[in-house]
Amino acid sequence: MFKAIILKTTEDKTNTLSIEDLNIDDLPKDEILIEVEYSTLNYKDSLAVTNKLPIVKSYPMIPGIDLAGIVRNSSNQNFVIGDKVLLNGSGLGEISWGGMSQMACVKGNHLIKIPSKFSSMQAMTIGTAGYTAMLAVLALERHKITPDKGEILVTGATGGVGSISVMLLDKLGYQVCAATGKLENIEYLKTLGAKRIIDRNDLSKECKPLEKEIWAGVIDTVGSQILANVCASVKYGGTLVLCGLAQGFDFPTTVMPFILRGINLSGIDSVYCPLELRQEAWERLAKDIDLGKLQSISSIISLSEVLDNAKNMLAGDTKGRIVIDVNMV
């Protein structure tokens, strides 16, 4: 027997959440059985467990788009009993049962061995948020946005993706400008490496299609009007990396920044990202992340604390990374 969070739905489309006891036989019959040690609470998880958006595609569902743990059985030649592994996205917690469980059974196509530098808890402190942040940094590098090109803006900077983006960019020598609506967290952002901090409200007003050129690159986690405004201020030949929609999924702008300044728009998909790019991102994380700073942005919760923390996250009342110890109930 093991414990897991179970999401169910009623005839009137109301979600219910409970912690239940399950048997191994209740799990899907996939290649690799994992004893889960940690999962995480991400923005998408918060939408799922509160049913704010139709993230979950079928019920009952174990939520959790991340997991880290130990292989206990495997029919996949790439993984053996005892391997410490992690999984980000790939439909976890949406289409297939996810990480908020003490056991999981998954396919091996997106599974990765945890880099030796990281413990399972550190791997989940990074989780989808840090992996997405690394994919965003790699996108800037592919477009040859080097530190000498100028300042990089990170929006939603106190969130998981934003916090780790600031941390990584600083480690790599970039000048980082952090945008946040939580000005009480200025010192928090400075400790992560932000050299300049601006109020997100200054980016929320309507603007001209083209504004003063400021940023060589942008990692945007919020979308909507803020995305349009920062797009108008990207320097000639700069790159705007889009990896979130916390403010909204609209993009109220024009083609002018793209055809008059030659800027690039690079979208990040962390869910079905090819295995080769996943491995590259995790190899770079093992090389480039500051473990001391990483520890400073994390908090650990139990399975029973997931719902309250999800509500707080959607209300904008959390920062950094929330790790779930699935053996704490």
Side-chain angles (χ1 to χ4, degrees):
M1 301 291 289
F2 63 92
K3 294 187 180 297
I5 290 180
I6 302 290
L7 294 178
K8 297 179 181 177
T9 189
T10 60
E11 289 185 3
D12 64 355
K13 305 300 182 183
T14 300
N15 260 23
T16 63
L17 181 154
S18 59
I19 299 174
E20 298 186 12
D21 291 314
L22 300 178
N23 287 299
I24 297 295
D25 290 341
D26 294 322
L27 291 171
K29 304 301 185 285
D30 273 324
E31 299 174 300
I32 302 165
L33 179 67
I34 300 170
E35 181 182 342
V36 182
E37 296 175 290
Y38 297 96
S39 184
T40 65
L41 183 66
N42 300 281
Y43 194 81
K44 183 182 283 188
D45 297 315
S46 296
L47 292 171
V49 300
T50 60
N51 200 27
K52 293 295 184 183
L53 282 179
I55 301 297
V56 174
K57 302 304 187 288
S58 64
Y59 293 89
M61 177 62 67
I62 296 175
I65 64 172
D66 286 332
L67 65 79
I70 303 167
V71 173
R72 291 306 181 203
N73 201 3
S74 174
S75 61
N76 184 308
Q77 63 181 1
N78 296 317
F79 300 94
V80 299
I81 294 172
D83 280 346
K84 296 181 77 67
V85 293
L86 64 87
L87 185 57
N88 307 122
S90 68
L92 205 66
E94 301 176 68
I95 299 169
S96 58
W97 280 10
M100 296 185 193
S101 170
Q102 293 172 345
M103 301 294 295
C105 200
V106 303
K107 293 181 174 64
N109 55 337
H110 285 153
L111 197 65
I112 290 177
K113 294 178 184 178
I114 296 175
S116 59
K117 179 177 180 178
F118 301 134
S119 66
S120 296
M121 188 179 76
Q122 288 169 329
M124 285 295 93
T125 303
I126 296 168
T128 284
Y131 152 65
T132 301
M134 191 73 248
L135 290 174
V137 171
L138 289 172
L140 290 175
E141 292 179 346
R142 282 196 303 273
H143 288 288
K144 302 189 185 307
I145 307 300
T146 50
D148 61 293
K149 295 292 179 63
E151 191 175 48
I152 307 296
L153 173 69
V154 178
T155 66
T158 59
V161 177
S163 293
I164 297 179
S165 294
V166 172
M167 188 189 309
L168 288 169
L169 289 166
D170 177 62
K171 178 75 177 295
L172 293 168
Y174 290 89
Q175 293 292 308
V176 183
C177 176
T180 180
K182 306 172 184 175
L183 296 183
E184 68 273 17
N185 288 326
I186 286 177
E187 290 306 314
Y188 168 83
L189 290 169
K190 286 182 176 178
T191 63
L192 297 184
K195 299 300 188 290
R196 189 163 72 95
I197 296 159
I198 59 176
D199 189 337
R200 75 173 176 211
N201 292 323
D202 295 337
L203 300 174
S204 298
K205 305 164 187 174
E206 290 190 19
C207 70
K208 300 174 185 176
L210 291 174
E211 296 282 357
K212 179 182 177 182
E213 297 179 44
I214 302 173
W215 298 294
V218 177
I219 295 178
D220 178 67
T221 70
V222 296
S224 196
Q225 189 62 52
I226 287 179
L227 174 60
N229 287 6
V230 301
C231 182
S233 295
V234 175
K235 288 182 176 182
Y236 188 93
T239 294
L240 176 58
V241 183
L242 175 57
C243 55
L245 43 70
Q247 189 182 61
F249 49 75
D250 58 322
F251 186 17
T253 190
T254 74
V255 299
M256 291 175 67
F258 302 97
I259 64 175
L260 296 181
R261 289 183 178 164
I263 73 168
N264 306 289
L265 179 62
S266 183
I268 301 298
D269 166 45
S270 63
V271 179
Y272 296 109
C273 179
L275 181 60
E276 295 79 9
L277 188 52
R278 289 172 181 266
Q279 291 173 328
E280 180 185 0
W282 278 96
E283 287 168 5
R284 282 290 303 274
L285 284 161
K287 175 184 175 184
D288 294 330
I289 205 156
D290 184 318
L291 291 179
K293 288 182 179 179
L294 184 69
Q295 183 177 354
S296 74
I297 70 169
S298 69
S299 58
I300 299 178
I301 64 171
S302 65
L303 288 175
S304 61
E305 296 173 294
V306 165
L307 183 58
D308 286 343
N309 277 270
K311 292 175 181 177
N312 291 340
M313 181 173 285
L314 296 183
D317 294 332
T318 60
K319 67 180 180 182
R321 295 288 290 140
I322 299 176
V323 178
I324 304 166
D325 184 338
V326 299
N327 293 302
M328 290 171 53
V329 180

